[in-house]
Amino acid sequence: MASSRLMPDTWRLLRGLGQKSQRRSLSYADTVENLRIKAETRVILQGFTGKQATFDAKQSIEYGTKIVGGVRPGKDGEHLGLPVVPSMKAVSFIPYVSIRILGGVAKLRQAMERLKPDATAVYVAAPGAAAAIEEAIESEIPLIVAVAEFIPLHDMLRVQDVLRTQSKSRLVGPNCPGMINPHARCRIGFPPIPFFQAGSVGIVSKSGTLSYETVASTTRAGLGQSLVVGIGGDPLPGTDFVDVLKVFEHDENTKGIIIVGEIGGTAELRAAEWIRDYKKRSASPKPIMALIAGLQAPPGVVMGHAGAVFRDREEETARRKIQMLEEAGVVLTDHPEKFGNIMRAILDRNYQRTTSLQQNNQPFDLQKRTLHTSTRPSRFYFNESINQPLRRGFRVPSYQVNLAFKLRGSLSQAQRVQLQFFPNRLTYMPCLRVKDTTGENVVPLAIEAKGDEGQAANSKSGNSNWRVEISYPYNLDASACKKHLVEEMGRASQTITGDNQGRQGVLASIGATTGLAEMAWSFAKLFKEKEASMLTIDAAYDAIAAEWKLLWIDAEFDDSAYKSSKRQANIYEHRDTSAFVPEAVEAERHGIVYVRFPGDNNLGTLGISSAPPRFLYRANI
């Protein structure tokens, strides 16, 4: 495994099969203080001599940032009058011993000794970005800011497995603009300097563009900014809203706080919970404002931002986020240009708060368009009447699926279970959801299962179906992963059946059988080997044959593994573009996202992308 080459042996011993995700993340939580960048912060750039890194470094140096040098594979000398030290070429999937022989980590440590950095900006392109982040973690650089877009999803799962088992390095990003402290004139990344002014508003944002508009608004209002952090739109970021809010809470320069969120994921919901607690425990809480982008996304469509690549459940919609934030006492607005004047009025104690629920139950009708353009249909709620742009899925005939996955199955009508593999955006690990799909009159849910984003699973009275979820470390070796799944499924079976003696259901009648665990294990391998973003399997138990049988498989794929790293070509080649809007297909070839407006006209909007758009694929039997 790629990240095992970086994981110290002691960590591998501590990574017990049943280790809880909460325990794994506690030590990493201690690194939140590393977000406090100062005038004395010493910054290096990985990929220092590249065109974009050079451009941004020049601006940062002129601004006053203490850039002390950088790293470039195989190069030793100077660049921009600053020292450059060599490092190995960032390539994924090189064995642990090879890195030691080639000296990649050793040479990055050489940079540490010569340059003594407090932070690094990773300007390495997506194919090698994960390895560059891992090298920085291994070298214990306190703050790592990764700006690259389109890092393959499974590369980030690998990074997260290493990141959250240590307590020295904090990651911001990837897919982010970086961060800036106008008081210290310290910039890491590429926030546009002319917009910024030292002041009193702390800003944290998923979207780079919307953060710039927010900054401009607070600058025009004469408030300025204390610290601005772009956490990025990646589905598996190193830093989320709550991490930055903790910094703002105790920052003397921060008098007001702004959150810029969007649909997709549940980071905003967790932020709302933290804010509710913060307001209860604080005698004089700082005022907080927020924006949730994407209110006008059509039903069943999620944002094209990488962090919104997974299907949302109902409670994760933008309106649900708005409701929770308002209930926590946050002031919402519908456009970033309004932040400055409203925040100024709040700080001057001259603001009359009204909630969107008081506005005829139509929150923010002025947000007429989504604030990002690339979209994809949800698998279950796609409305065929909507004229969609590039559809983020494809279907493959059964024989092609067998060729791609080397799997075959037979139909059976019996007690049924659905297995679903996906990245858990709360635990930052792969997750297996085992769900009863037999229908009514099955064992009720008897455990407090958690959803894929940390929300409680549906356990309303009268709902007889059950669901359990098992997160597991990405870098477990094959035998350990298999053992973990078997043990956890067995534990779930005992929990479900313990309070329901006499009831008949899939697990109640046959328990978490070795056969079901074997099937789960085979698909866990498939999920990882084929780099799926979601893998769903419907299986039935044949009581006569006493075995589980595969009914169908549905797989979704993020295309960045192919577009960024040319991996999974056999999956990518099956993409069917026949249902795509022709203009969008043509635009994609030029790195442009095109979205046609609804209706019979042929008008659309263009969005320039720094890299080819990110799309999701599907395969079905």
Side-chain angles (χ1 to χ4, degrees), residues 71 89 107 156 222 236 276 334 369 375 421 455 478 505:
V71 179
K89 183 178 180 181
K107 289 178 180 176
M156 281 309 300
L236 297 170
R276 186 183 296 109
D334 65 335
R369 297 282 175 198
T375 60
F421 292 87
Q455 302 302 309

Side-chain angles (χ1 to χ4, degrees), residues 169-192:
S169 299
R170 160 67 51 170
L171 173 65
V172 175
N175 190 13
C176 78
M179 57 191 298
I180 184 171
N181 181 340
H183 289 276
R185 303 187 73 80
C186 180
R187 182 182 84 150
I188 306 174
F190 52 85

Side-chain angles (χ1 to χ4, degrees), residues 331-332 342 345-346 349-355 358-359:
V331 176
L332 274 292
I342 297 177
I346 294 172
R349 302 183 183 280
N350 188 28
Y351 178 73
Q352 181 75 32
R353 182 174 183 265
T354 59
T355 70
Q358 295 172 326
Q359 302 171 13

